[in-house]
Amino acid sequence: MTASATNLLGLVKHLAGIEFGYLGESVGRPPPVRLPWVADGSIWAGADMWAAAEENSRDPVALYQTAWQHSDQSIERLGLAAPAQ
C-alpha cells in the first residue's frame, strides 16, 4: 500500500471503472452493474483507488472481467470508429 492508500486491488477497481466509462458509457453503452463508489459519490474521495481490508480479491477481479467483456462487446458491436462523448 502506498502513502495515499492506493493498493493493487484498488487499481483494478479504478481500471474497471475507467473501462466502463471509456468503452461503455462514452459510446452509449452503460455498464451492466452500478459501481458502489459511483452510486454513493465516494469516487470523488478516491474510493475507487483502494480496496479495504475486508474486501476479498475475487470481487475486484470479477468486476474487471465484467468490464473487459463489456468493452469487447462494445467494440464488436460498434467498431473502433464509433463516435464517443
Side-chain angles (χ1 to χ4, degrees), residues 7-14 48 50-51 55-57 60-61:
N7 54 34
L8 290 176
L9 286 177
L11 291 176
V12 172
K13 287 169 60 173
H14 178 71
D48 65 330
W50 50 270
E55 289 184 80
N56 65 55
S57 61
V61 171

Side-chain angles (χ1 to χ4, degrees), residues 17-60:
I18 295 298
E19 192 152 334
F20 277 136
Y22 278 102
L23 292 170
E25 290 182 51
S26 69
V27 293
R29 295 193 70 239
V33 297
R34 183 85 165 130
L35 302 174
W37 54 90
V38 173
D40 68 11
S42 64
I43 189 170
W44 304 115
D48 65 330
M49 294 298 292
W50 50 270
E54 65 274 4
E55 289 184 80
N56 65 55
S57 61
R58 291 181 306 274
D59 293 339

